[in-house]
Each structure stands twice: as C-alpha cells, then as structure tokens.
Amino acid sequence: MNKRINEKDLLSAFTNVGDDLIEESAVKNTQRPVRYKKIRFIGNAGLSASLCLMALIVVFSSLALSSGIEKVPIQSDGSANTGNVCEDLTKVPQEESGTSSRPCDTGIAAPEQNKQTFVPPESDTIIKPGSTTEDVSTTEPGKTTEPDATKPVLTDDEAKTEVPPGSGVIVADEDTYNNTDKKSENGAFYKTAAIILSALLLLLLLFYPFSVVRDEASGTTVYKSLLCKLGKNGKNTELTFLPFIKRGKK
Amino acid sequence: MEDGEILDLFFSRSERALSETSAKYGTKLQRMAQYITGNESDAQECLNDTLFEAWRRIPPERPNCFFAYLAKIARNFSLKKWERLSAKKRSGTISEISDELMECLPDNSSDVEEIVENKRLSAAIDSFVRTLNIEQRRMFMRRYFWNEPLSVIAKSEGCSESSLKSLFHRLRLKLKEKLIKENFDL
C-alpha cells in the first residue's frame, strides 16, 4: 500500500516539473531530425576485414617465430648444442682436457688450459662440403670455410673423425646448409608480412568509417572513424580529426 | 492557430476552442495517455476529460504555456485512470516506468512518508532535470514525463535501446543521490 502511494507521489512530482521543460521536450520531439545508420554493412565489412587481418597476423607471426629463430646447431656427435652453461668446469676430466677430445660441450669458454683447443660454440664454424682438414684446423671461430681445389677433399666421414666431438664445429652437408638459408629467408619474409599486416590493421581501425549516419534534417552524411569524421553535405565536405580528443577537452 | 488565439476562443466561450485544441495537441496528448493507460479507448477518454477540464478552468485561468498546461491535466487524468486499471491488473508502459523509478524512491516507511512532500519532491526532480545536458534532459523527459517506450525514443534519437537503458540507469542513480542529499531518507 505504501509502495503505491510513493509511486503516485513520484509520478505526480514528474507531472509538476517546469512548463519550459515540458515544452522543450515536446517541441524537440517533433523537430528532432530522424537519424539512422544509412549503410550498416560498411561497419560489418570493416569488422570482417579486421578479423581477417588479425588472423593473418597471428599466422604469420607464428610462422616467423617457428622458422625465423636461431637454429640450434647440431654437433658432430649428433647432439644438439643447447648453449647451456657448464656449471662446474673443474669436473672436466684432466686426461681429456689436454687433448681436447672431450671439451665442455655446453657452450662457454673452458678453463685456460683448454681454451686453445676449443672452438667456442657461440661462434660455430660451418664447414662446407669439400673443405679440407687443413681448412678446418686453420679456420678461425665464426668463419665459414671455402673449398680449396688445390687441397685434398675432406669427406663427411673424415670430417666426423677429424673434428673433435663437441667442439662446437658443425659439419653440415649441403642440404642442411641450404635449408638453413632457406628457413632464414622464410622467417624474414613472414616477419615482414606480419609487420605490414599489423600496420594495415592499425590503419583500418583508425580510419575505417564504421559508422555512417545520415542526418535527414541537414542532408549531411557523416562518416565516422575512430580517428576522424567526414561530413558530406552535397557541396561542402568537412573533415574533422580526433573528435574524441575534442570531446574529452569539454 | 496560435495558442493565444485558442485561449481567446476559450475566453469567448466558443466551442471551436475545443476542436482547435484537439486538432493542434490532441494527437500528442492522446499518445501520452495511451502510453500511460496502455489502452486506446481509455486514452481517448482521458483526452476528452482533459478538454472538458480545460473548458472548465479557462477562464478564469489563462496559462502561459498552454501546451504544458494541457499536458499536465492529461497526465493527471491518465495517471488516475491507470491507478484504477492497476487495481485490477498492472499494465502499460507506466507500470514499467513506475518500477524503474522505484529504484530512486525514498523508503516506504510511514515516518519518511510524512517527511516527503509532493512539492519538495517536484522541486528536487525539477532541479535535477535542469542539471542535465539538453540531450539527456530531452530523453529523460520523454521517458518519465511523456512515458514514451524505449523503442520509440531510441528510434527517433538514433541510438540503441541498450544504450538508452544504461543512460537512464545512470540518471536514476544520480537522481537517487540527489534525493538522498536533499534529505529524502533511504
């Protein structure tokens, strides 16, 4: 019962608001220009394009990550050089350290007595097929050997026996060598594609007229994007940038 | 015909005043009555009552805003009609609006009822509406004075019903805050 009385009070209170407010709302009601979104599908097309671009960016980014990352070098003994730090270098067997037959196979500079015989894994030396044993022995870390026609050819088997296992030297056959280059190229391509698509997506989101409104009273069609607003009124075209910043300043 | 001329007809006791008033404002008043009562025949009855009441009051009264004057009379008749109808069954847009407004009503206890005076409440609502910007004010009045359904307001204002709902929700919360500040206890 009380609730009904309060409802009545409140509704009556609205009845007794100022006459000017009533006039204003009623007059505006009849004079208000009818606005409607003239071309709704434009917004949908923009949304679809954005989603497609996002999907492509995800695909290219993942491809770039999978093929463009630094390759894990395969060592001559067939194990992967993971680059782990050898935590306790003192554990390297003494009898092996002098001959460099079993260097620390995990990636950092070895103790002083071993340094002269180790090739630091971070500067892996790639031996092209056809290189000689001399090439291998005289090659500085980080350099690629070139075949020398005047010297005897080192076969893959010889290379495997001559190159100290775990020394960080990669014995690559021709396929592996070419494949490495190809994957690097693909990675760069995917990375570039992802960047370009990201830029396109950004442009689309900033400038695409997701909202197209026609004001029947003034005959103006307003194309609104996130960054700018374009009003076309037959003769006049008005471009306004950053409408949201203007709104924020008020 | 201008409002002044219609009022002159009222003062000269010409029955043409009623037809002119009905022709000029009948549609709007009847639409409001229909939104409140939810019934076309009741709305027509409310319009007739409004015209008769205006005929009875003018003269001696001569309102400055004739349309607002008529709108208030029509609204009062419509609310009375709605009360009678709602005794049997709650229906129409006004029931929905009434439920919405309950959010910002003071508590229903008898003590508070004594405090709340209708004029004070009217003044508080009036001053609240005046604090809104013109767009919000127009939409608020269309909803809570003219009792227009959300779909109608949304269509003519070029916005969605959901955005209107959230707007009105925010405005009702503001009104509630104002009523609390003005000692309408919760």
Side-chain angles (χ1 to χ4, degrees):
Chain A
M1 195 65 185
N2 284 336
K3 185 181 175 183
R4 181 52 45 83
I5 291 167
N6 280 330
E7 278 179 324
K8 189 185 169 187
D9 287 343
L10 196 64
L11 291 168
S12 301
F14 270 98
T15 307
N16 296 326
V17 294
D19 290 351
D20 56 329
L21 292 174
I22 297 169
E23 291 263 357
E24 180 191 67
S25 57
V27 170
K28 290 287 179 184
N29 188 13
T30 54
Q31 290 182 348
R32 177 77 180 166
V34 178
R35 288 185 168 191
Y36 59 94
K37 287 190 177 179
K38 191 183 176 188
I39 312 167
R40 285 179 182 275
F41 72 88
I42 275 191
N44 293 337
L47 202 63
S48 307
S50 303
L51 289 173
C52 287
L53 279 175
M54 281 179 203
L56 282 174
I57 287 167
V58 169
V59 169
F60 279 114
S61 300
S62 55
L63 283 171
L65 282 174
S66 63
S67 61
I69 55 171
E70 285 184 21
K71 293 191 68 59
V72 177
I74 306 299
Q75 299 183 41
S76 56
D77 60 357
S79 64
N81 183 353
T82 58
N84 290 334
V85 176
C86 184
E87 290 179 359
D88 189 357
L89 295 174
T90 59
K91 287 182 181 176
V92 176
Q94 282 300 318
E95 66 276 12
E96 291 174 357
S97 64
T99 60
S100 76
S101 59
R102 287 286 304 280
C104 173
D105 59 357
T106 52
I108 65 163
E112 195 58 40
Q113 68 269 26
N114 292 336
K115 262 188 179 174
Q116 54 190 347
T117 55
F118 292 162
V119 178
E122 58 265 31
S123 57
D124 290 338
T125 302
I126 297 172
I127 302 170
K128 283 189 175 182
S131 300
T132 63
T133 51
E134 195 176 334
D135 293 331
V136 175
S137 59
T138 57
T139 301
E140 289 178 15
K143 296 287 177 64
T144 302
T145 62
E146 293 296 336
D148 187 347
T150 62
K151 293 175 182 175
V153 173
L154 181 69
T155 63
D156 287 350
D157 289 339
E158 286 167 341
K160 279 179 186 172
T161 54
E162 292 294 329
V163 177
S167 64
V169 176
I170 297 172
V171 179
D173 58 21
E174 193 151 10
D175 287 345
T176 308
Y177 184 80
N178 293 335
N179 205 25
T180 306
D181 282 352
K182 196 182 283 180
K183 284 191 175 179
S184 303
E185 283 173 14
N186 286 343
F189 168 74
Y190 292 137
K191 193 178 172 185
T192 311
I195 290 169
I196 291 170
L197 289 173
S198 302
L200 276 176
L201 179 65
L202 189 67
L203 287 174
L204 183 78
L205 290 175
L206 287 178
F207 290 103
Y208 193 85
F210 284 100
S211 157
V212 182
V213 180
R214 181 160 177 82
D215 190 331
E216 284 296 300
S218 62
T220 309
T221 306
V222 181
Y223 299 84
K224 270 189 189 173
S225 71
L226 197 65
L227 194 66
C228 61
K229 186 171 74 173
L230 181 71
K232 289 179 80 173
N233 184 12
K235 301 169 188 174
N236 302 323
T237 303
E238 188 185 343
L239 181 67
T240 315
F241 278 99
L242 301 171
F244 51 90
I245 288 180
K246 280 186 179 175
R247 270 205 303 274
K249 283 180 180 175
K250 280 182 183 177
Chain B
M1 187 179 277
E2 293 298 315
D3 286 356
E5 294 173 84
I6 297 174
L7 286 171
D8 289 341
L9 289 174
F10 272 100
F11 272 85
S12 62
R13 309 310 289 167
S14 168
E15 288 188 9
R16 198 177 145 220
L18 297 175
S19 59
E20 291 292 341
T21 306
S22 183
K24 190 171 183 182
Y25 298 122
T27 311
K28 285 181 192 172
L29 297 174
Q30 189 172 343
R31 194 189 305 134
M32 179 182 66
Q34 193 168 337
Y35 287 144
I36 293 174
T37 60
N39 186 313
E40 194 175 346
S41 60
D42 287 332
Q44 180 63 49
E45 197 179 321
C46 287
L47 176 63
N48 292 337
D49 290 344
T50 303
L51 293 173
F52 178 74
E53 184 68 12
W55 180 261
R56 198 178 63 79
R57 288 190 194 177
I58 308 171
E61 292 180 22
R62 191 179 176 94
N64 291 326
C65 299
F66 185 48
F67 175 57
Y69 181 82
L70 291 173
K72 285 179 178 182
I73 295 173
R75 196 167 193 272
N76 278 329
F77 274 117
S78 304
L79 287 174
K80 280 179 186 171
K81 177 73 75 180
W82 167 71
E83 277 179 62
R84 285 200 295 274
L85 289 171
S86 62
K88 298 174 186 174
K89 185 180 78 174
R90 288 173 64 79
S91 63
T93 312
I94 191 67
S95 299
E96 185 187 327
I97 291 169
S98 175
D99 290 340
E100 288 175 13
L101 288 173
M102 284 306 294
E103 289 175 21
C104 47
L105 269 181
D107 195 27
N108 300 323
S109 69
S110 57
D111 288 340
V112 178
E113 269 186 8
E114 289 172 10
I115 297 170
V116 176
E117 298 168 4
N118 208 9
K119 281 189 178 179
R120 251 183 84 215
L121 194 57
S122 290
I125 290 171
D126 186 277
S127 64
F128 168 75
V129 174
R130 287 176 198 282
T131 61
L132 305 177
N133 67 41
I134 189 163
E135 297 260 323
Q136 291 178 340
R137 193 161 65 219
R138 184 179 60 248
M139 287 193 267
F140 194 78
M141 287 296 289
R142 288 183 68 179
R143 178 66 175 160
Y144 296 112
F145 181 85
W146 296 101
N147 305 294
E148 292 182 25
L150 286 173
S151 57
V152 174
I153 303 173
K155 193 179 175 183
S156 62
E157 296 286 343
C159 54
S160 66
E161 284 188 42
S162 57
S163 64
L164 272 184
K165 273 183 190 172
S166 62
L167 171 70
F168 289 138
H169 179 68
R170 287 198 305 273
L171 294 180
R172 288 197 301 272
L173 289 179
K174 280 186 186 175
L175 177 59
K176 184 179 182 179
E177 282 177 19
K178 183 174 174 59
L179 293 178
I180 292 169
K181 276 183 187 174
E182 299 200 2
N183 294 327
F184 291 97
D185 293 334
L186 282 177

